[in-house]
Amino acid sequence: MLTDLDLPALWEYRSSFQEPADFDDFWSGTLAEARGHELAPTLTPVETPLETVEVFDLTFAGFGGHPVRCWLRAPRQRSGPLPAVVQFHGYASGRGHPLDDLLWASAGFVHLVMDVRGQGGAYAGGGATPDPVGSGPSHPGFLTRGIEDPRDYVYRRVFTDAVRAVEAVRQSPLVDPGRVGVVGASQGGGIALAVAGLVPELGAAHFQAPFLCDVRRATRITGSGPYTELAGYLAARRDRVEQVFATLGYFDGIAFARRADAPAWFSAGLMDGVCPPSTAFGAFHAYTGAKQIRAWEYNGHDAGGSDDLAVVLPAFRDLLKHGR
């Protein structure tokens, strides 16, 4: 069943979200602080039975100089630097197994999958990057960790890590730094959208059912996690509602969309009860670069799944292999 607006209403919908006045100063200061630490990427080959793809364990210094782990995959047969795709994974997942996620490397790209710090305990393969920063009281899950102050909020660290991941892949001798794109689904789509708003000169971007967009609306119209973590937190802390949404103003995908200019593909399932489609359309309408969106009428949070990827992959090939 439809969980949100129908398609004609989605095309008309515009979010009322307004970011904080110091949004740009907050993020420029955060990234300047992170860049005070040497990026120091290290690339270690991983032995696998794969014949056409090489796998490397890449580590770099993220927020606070903390080590962030990634898988970097590349075609074995290559001549010279290649275009790269940086991918961010879904909520509570991790970078997974070295044999996972072979699509982009099989299509001829260098492919980096960043491990989201502190997550990765919910799925096979899991994650390998701890979050050494503590936080105050939170609802079970990750979404409310440090949420009463934007400087302490967990996604400040995650989004900073993600920007540094693009910087790390651009330093790799395997990669042409001028031909890098970002992709992600759900939480990964929200992270990719933040990166698109924070990193200049990206070649392409793909956001499937992006999380953390139009967040206040999302909490009011969905009864599914992870947004229910916010509702649970605020049900117990009734006097913190405005404080919490003031923090979230620095992390909402609408604000990043207003600052992004890479050619972008969005997708949404009209039956998505996790990330309601109006929140994806809110980000899409705010996006300042060239953009397309696909609404999958009878799909939920998969937002078209592999069929959606089949639309985007040739577009990435054209943009990243031949340049914008």
Side-chain angles (χ1 to χ4, degrees):
M1 55 183 276
L2 288 177
T3 59
D4 196 357
L5 304 176
D6 62 16
L7 190 55
L10 290 170
W11 281 112
E12 295 298 322
Y13 175 72
R14 299 295 185 274
S15 173
S16 61
F17 167 79
Q18 291 297 320
E19 69 264 17
D22 64 342
F23 179 92
D24 293 311
D25 289 341
F26 174 84
W27 280 108
S28 62
T30 294
L31 296 178
E33 181 182 322
R35 289 172 181 139
H37 301 275
E38 290 292 330
L39 191 60
T42 62
L43 200 62
T44 304
V46 176
E47 184 119 1
T48 75
L50 299 173
E51 295 186 1
T52 61
V53 172
E54 285 188 282
V55 183
F56 301 86
D57 191 338
L58 185 145
T59 302
F60 65 87
F63 179 93
H66 307 146
V68 178
R69 303 281 296 278
C70 309
W71 294 129
L72 185 143
R73 302 178 176 92
R76 284 191 185 276
Q77 300 299 320
R78 56 185 184 269
S79 58
L82 295 175
V85 170
V86 180
Q87 181 173 358
F88 307 102
H89 62 70
Y91 192 78
S93 185
R95 66 174 183 167
H97 192 277
L99 300 184
D100 293 341
D101 296 318
L102 299 177
L103 170 69
W104 291 101
S106 299
F109 298 87
V110 172
H111 177 220
L112 182 123
V113 179
M114 187 194 85
D115 210 29
V116 173
R117 59 170 62 213
Q119 298 188 18
Y123 300 98
T129 303
D131 184 4
V133 180
S135 67
S138 62
H139 191 277
F142 306 101
L143 190 55
T144 62
R145 292 184 180 179
I147 200 166
E148 294 188 6
D149 188 326
R151 294 168 297 180
D152 298 332
Y153 191 41
V154 63
Y155 281 100
R156 180 180 183 228
R157 304 190 288 279
V158 171
F159 289 177
T160 301
D161 291 346
V163 169
R164 300 279 277 173
V166 173
E167 294 172 352
V169 84
R170 281 177 162 168
Q171 287 191 14
S172 170
L174 304 179
V175 173
D176 178 345
R179 296 188 290 158
V180 176
V182 293
V183 301
S186 192
Q187 174 186 254
I191 298 171
L193 183 53
V195 172
L198 292 170
V199 175
E201 299 180 359
L202 290 174
H206 180 213
F207 320 115
Q208 279 185 301
F211 183 49
L212 289 174
C213 293
D214 216 354
V215 178
R216 193 157 197 166
R217 174 177 172 82
T219 62
R220 291 169 169 166
I221 62 174
T222 181
S224 298
Y227 285 121
T228 49
E229 294 174 24
L230 282 172
Y233 185 85
L234 293 173
R237 291 166 177 77
R238 303 174 187 89
D239 60 334
R240 311 291 174 85
V241 173
E242 295 309 318
Q243 184 177 356
V244 162
F245 283 106
T247 290
L248 288 166
Y250 294 93
F251 304 92
D252 197 299
I254 303 287
F256 296 110
R258 290 169 178 161
R259 291 158 172 81
D261 66 358
W265 284 259
F266 289 75
S267 64
L270 296 193
M271 296 186 175
D272 189 347
V274 177
C275 294
S278 62
T279 65
F281 270 81
F284 169 77
H285 290 309
Y287 197 87
T288 56
K291 59 193 177 184
Q292 298 181 35
I293 189 166
R294 179 70 180 265
W296 297 90
E297 186 175 3
Y298 286 97
N299 285 91
H301 195 50
D302 65 323
S306 296
D307 283 311
D308 193 62
L309 289 171
V311 173
V312 169
L313 196 151
F316 266 55
R317 179 181 291 117
D318 289 344
L319 283 168
L320 297 182
K321 292 201 171 181
H322 307 298
R324 288 172 62 174

